[in-house]
């Protein structure tokens, strides 16, 4: 048994039934550091009081921190203080994580990640262990229908791209890409063919474009070219994405409907999902406030609560108490085909997730690993997934490059 390359894993799963499970390591691969230690550093920046909190054994796990603080309280006010600590630390954690995602999300639109959609198009269902709505923001780039989850002031790159797309320079480059042709000559110098620019390789297209723009006196067009490639990729990869929420026209809110077919699941909940009495909603663009302001209001409202599993005790108990979370785990337990896991450390606090995989009808589990941790990860995987075929692929070979625009 040895590590396979990411590209080999992608080739193996093509044209089969596949499902994607993401952990924090996936965010890291795209330049978004939502690890507990980094989130805690940002919490300290927002509120210096956290400088006085003792972190034991460098364990920044938010559930563990909340649990330890609660266990240290033994007086008549402990029930009140338990709720207060839980809500306040949860608020600060979410605000810090949201801040990191907001600042880092532009990283995913670097050229090296242009082929991210090529990963997504291989899967039927998408699951994430992360609390942040990062996965949905990514998938919406390739969603066939209207974008329904754009948080106020969270993705400024959209405004930048829009400014580029409405510029005359961009229109010129796009027109060149779709209408110009390259003359092809034989060895005797005779013209034998015209080849559309949009049929050229990326390298050849950029060379031809450079010559054309030089004659037109157009300079500094790199950003226009990046946006063009992004637009071409989005048009090439269109995904059917449904999270089970539809608009309640009476309330003007997006409400969870269990009966709707869905393929996007937040297994431990997410910042943009909340319960109001017996109904479940998601935060969308319809509200003009910043996300963390809405979260503050939800946490301060006795009838509302975020759907996030912030517990250091049995996560499965909290999941079973939530209709959304239980539905999501049930969907996960009924998978067939292949499951690809990227960015999970296979820790015990997610064993309920791994038990669901082991009990499912999925026959093969692909897990991202590394040369250094291969033996440990393989041993751990064989303990968790006794009934499955296991393949470990090298996370250091993960690449979201799109090789060519067209051939």
């Amino acid at each position: 048994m040895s590590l396979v390359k990411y590209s080999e894993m992608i080739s193996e799963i093509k044209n089969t039934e596949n499902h994607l499970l993401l952990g924090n390591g996936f965010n890291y691969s795209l330049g978004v550091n939502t690890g507990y230690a980094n989130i805690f550093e940002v919490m300290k920046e927002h509120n210096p009081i956290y400088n006085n909190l003792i972190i034991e054994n460098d364990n920044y796990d938010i559930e563990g921190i909340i649990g330890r603080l609660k266990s240290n309280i033994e007086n008549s006010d402990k029930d009140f203080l338990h709720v207060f600590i839980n809500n306040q630390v949860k608020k600060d954690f979410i605000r810090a994580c949201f801040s990191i995602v907001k600042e880092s999300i532009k990283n995913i639109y670097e050229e090296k990640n242009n082929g991210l959609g090529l990963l997504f198009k291989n899967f039927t269902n998408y699951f994430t262990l992360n609390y942040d709505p990062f996965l949905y923001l990514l998938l919406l780039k390739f969603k066939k229908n209207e974008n329904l989850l754009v948080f106020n002031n969270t993705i400024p790159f959209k405004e930048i791209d829009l400014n580029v797309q409405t510029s005359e320079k961009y229109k010129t480059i796009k027109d060149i890409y779709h209408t110009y042709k390259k003359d092809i000559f034989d060895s005797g110098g005779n013209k034998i063919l015209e080849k559309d620019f949009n049929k050229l390789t990326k390298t050849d297209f950029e060379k031809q474009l450079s010559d054309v723009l030089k004659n037109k006196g157009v300079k500094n067009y790199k950003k226009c070219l990046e946006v063009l490639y992004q637009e071409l990729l989005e048009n090439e990869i269109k995904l059917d994405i449904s999270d089970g929420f539809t608009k309640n026209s009476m309330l003007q809110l997006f409400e969870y409907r269990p009966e709707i077919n869905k393929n996007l699941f937040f297994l431990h909940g997410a910042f943009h999902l909340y319960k109001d009495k017996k109904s479940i909603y998601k935060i969308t663009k319809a509200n003009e406030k910043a996300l963390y302001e809405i979260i503050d209001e939800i946490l301060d409202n006795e009838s509302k609560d975020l759907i996030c599993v912030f517990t250091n005790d049995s996560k499965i108990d909290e999941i079973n108490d939530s209709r959304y979370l239980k539905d999501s785990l049930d969907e996960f337990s009924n998978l067939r085909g292949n499951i690809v896991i990227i960015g999970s450390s296979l820790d015990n606090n997610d064993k309920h997730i791994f038990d669901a995989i082991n009990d499912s009808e999925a026959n093969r589990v692909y897990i991202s690993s590394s040369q250094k941790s291969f033996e440990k990860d393989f041993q751990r995987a064989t303990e968790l997934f006794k009934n499955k075929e296991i393949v470990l692929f090298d996370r250091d070979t993960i690449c979201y490059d799109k090789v060519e625009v067209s051939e």
Side-chain angles (χ1 to χ4, degrees), residues 116-128:
L116 184 60
L118 300 176
L119 167 69
F120 290 146
K121 77 173 186 177
N122 288 289
F123 298 96
T124 302
N125 293 299
Y126 307 87
F127 299 87
T128 179

Side-chain angles (χ1 to χ4, degrees), residues 134-184:
F134 186 51
L135 174 60
Y136 204 178
L137 291 173
L138 293 175
L139 290 172
L140 284 177
K141 281 179 60 61
F142 310 102
K143 192 174 187 295
K144 288 182 177 179
N145 302 317
E146 183 186 359
N147 184 332
L148 297 178
L149 184 70
V150 179
F151 299 130
N152 187 39
N153 297 325
T154 61
I155 41 177
F157 59 84
K158 284 290 183 186
E159 296 176 15
I160 295 171
D161 289 356
L162 183 61
N163 291 338
V164 170
Q165 288 173 315
T166 55
S167 69
E168 288 303 318
K169 188 184 296 185
Y170 180 78
K171 292 175 183 176
T172 297
I173 291 173
K174 187 174 180 180
D175 179 67
I176 292 170
Y177 177 79
H178 286 293
T179 64
Y180 274 54
K181 299 177 184 294
K182 175 185 177 182
D183 292 335
I184 307 295

Side-chain angles (χ1 to χ4, degrees), residues 179-227:
T179 64
Y180 274 54
K181 299 177 184 294
K182 175 185 177 182
D183 292 335
I184 307 295
F185 299 91
D186 63 17
S187 57
N190 301 308
K191 179 178 172 181
I192 57 173
L193 183 68
E194 288 183 336
K195 192 171 185 179
D196 294 337
F197 271 21
N198 58 23
K199 302 296 182 185
L200 301 176
T201 64
K202 181 178 177 180
T203 302
D204 196 8
F205 165 65
E206 290 183 2
K207 180 179 182 301
Q208 301 301 320
L209 178 67
S210 175
D211 292 339
V212 174
L213 293 179
K214 189 180 296 182
N215 291 333
K216 291 179 175 289
V218 177
K219 301 177 181 179
N220 302 321
Y221 56 87
K222 182 179 179 181
K223 182 60 182 175
C224 292
L225 199 54
E226 290 174 1
V227 174

